[in-house]
């Protein structure tokens, strides 16, 4: 789905706020935990957006036209545990006051690598980024695009697993899921969450 980019401006309300979770800095680039941020990079490239520092909102962000919708694409500049700060500030700047118009793209330990699921509100599965978003939005009713990264092998701690870069074969599967996550965001924007869930969640 192509789009015509619009200027980065807070003057016009956005139709959607799409935020990909991750940790800042080169040490964390392309780790499992940054799958959400990587999906935003894919969306930005597809729609001619250039993510740049929005320091007041503690994020890198830009506004793009996705179909007929004006969409803010963003990645927090904070660490994962403080992701909600940027989400809340961006929602206020762009007048996205309907929480069901906020989509959080994130990695998911409870899904195997290569799996993608959409979720509307509900539990946070121990994800500290989602916990922060809930704390700052004062609700858990925001939408999620969950990119499977699988559980750690053996007795490896979850934190060690998510902060590492996957091996070559796993990376290829994850890259496919990241592209599919971008597809899913476009589907949500174009057709609504219910229709997108019917398509994405039915896949095996």
């Amino acid at each position: 789905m192509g789009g015509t980019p619009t200027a980065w401006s807070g003057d016009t309300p956005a139709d959607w706020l799409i935020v990909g979770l991750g940790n800042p800095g080169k040490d964390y680039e392309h780790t499992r935990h940054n799958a959400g941020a990587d999906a935003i990079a894919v969306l930005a490239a597809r729609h001619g957006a250039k993510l740049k520092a929005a320091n007041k909102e503690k994020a890198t962000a830009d506004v793009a036209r996705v179909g007929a919708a004006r969409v803010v694409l963003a990645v927090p500049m904070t660490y994962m545990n403080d992701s909600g700060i940027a989400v809340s500030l961006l929602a206020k700047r762009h007048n996205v006051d309907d929480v069901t118009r906020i989509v959080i793209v994130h990695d998911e330990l409870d899904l195997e690598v290569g799996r993608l699921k959409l979720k509307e509100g509900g539990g946070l599965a121990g994800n500290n980024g989602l916990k922060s978003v809930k704390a700052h939005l004062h609700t858990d009713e925001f939408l999620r695009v969950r990119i499977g990264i699988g559980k750690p092998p053996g007795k490896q701690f979850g934190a060690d697993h998510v902060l590492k870069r996957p091996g070559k074969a796993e990376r290829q599967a994850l890259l496919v899921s990241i592209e599919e996550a971008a597809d899913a965001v476009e589907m949500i924007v174009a057709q609504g969450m219910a229709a997108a869930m019917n398509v994405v969640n039915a896949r095996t």
Side-chain angles (χ1 to χ4, degrees), residues 188-199:
I188 291 167
V189 170
Q191 302 176 31
M193 185 62 165
M197 288 175 72
N198 285 340
V199 173

Side-chain angles (χ1 to χ4, degrees):
M1 299 173 75
T4 302
T6 62
W8 168 242
S9 166
D11 296 336
T12 306
D15 299 305
W16 293 87
L17 170 60
I18 316 294
V19 180
L21 301 190
N23 286 309
K26 290 193 175 297
D27 288 347
Y28 298 102
E29 284 182 356
H30 309 309
T31 59
R32 295 178 178 95
H33 221 17
N34 275 41
D38 289 346
I40 296 300
V42 169
L43 284 163
R46 287 184 186 181
H47 296 282
K50 297 186 182 300
L51 302 178
K52 45 194 173 287
N55 291 320
K56 289 183 179 178
E57 288 73 41
K58 301 184 184 300
T60 58
D62 200 3
V63 180
R65 184 68 63 179
V66 179
R70 189 173 189 271
V71 175
V72 178
L73 302 173
V75 176
M77 292 192 295
T78 61
Y79 285 100
M80 179 75 78
N81 294 4
D82 288 324
S83 299
I85 298 171
V87 175
S88 176
L89 291 171
L90 286 161
K92 287 175 183 173
R93 173 171 182 176
H94 294 280
N95 299 314
V96 183
D97 52 10
D98 179 355
V99 74
T100 65
R101 290 281 177 150
I102 298 175
V103 181
I104 306 298
V105 189
H106 64 93
D107 61 296
E108 179 61 71
L109 282 165
D110 289 339
L111 293 175
E112 63 197 54
V113 178
R115 295 280 289 172
L116 186 77
K117 290 287 186 182
L118 307 186
K119 187 175 180 181
E120 198 169 15
L124 309 177
N127 185 301
N128 288 329
L130 296 182
K131 288 179 182 177
S132 177
V133 174
K134 177 182 177 180
H136 286 273
L137 293 181
H138 309 293
T139 178
D140 62 5
E141 292 305 304
F142 49 90
L143 310 183
R144 302 93 184 268
V145 175
R146 306 159 67 210
I147 301 170
I149 60 168
K151 291 187 180 296
K155 296 182 179 180
Q156 187 181 36
F157 288 112
D160 294 333
H161 177 67
V162 300
L163 294 177
K164 286 183 177 177
R165 294 179 178 90
K168 187 174 181 181
E170 185 185 334
R171 179 63 187 165
Q172 284 305 117
L174 191 55
L175 285 172
V176 171
S177 292
I178 287 167
E179 291 282 345
E180 290 177 344
D183 295 343
V185 169
E186 291 171 339
M187 201 182 307
I188 291 167
V189 170
Q191 302 176 31
M193 185 62 165
M197 288 175 72
N198 285 340
V199 173
V200 174
N201 292 356
R203 294 174 183 159
T204 58

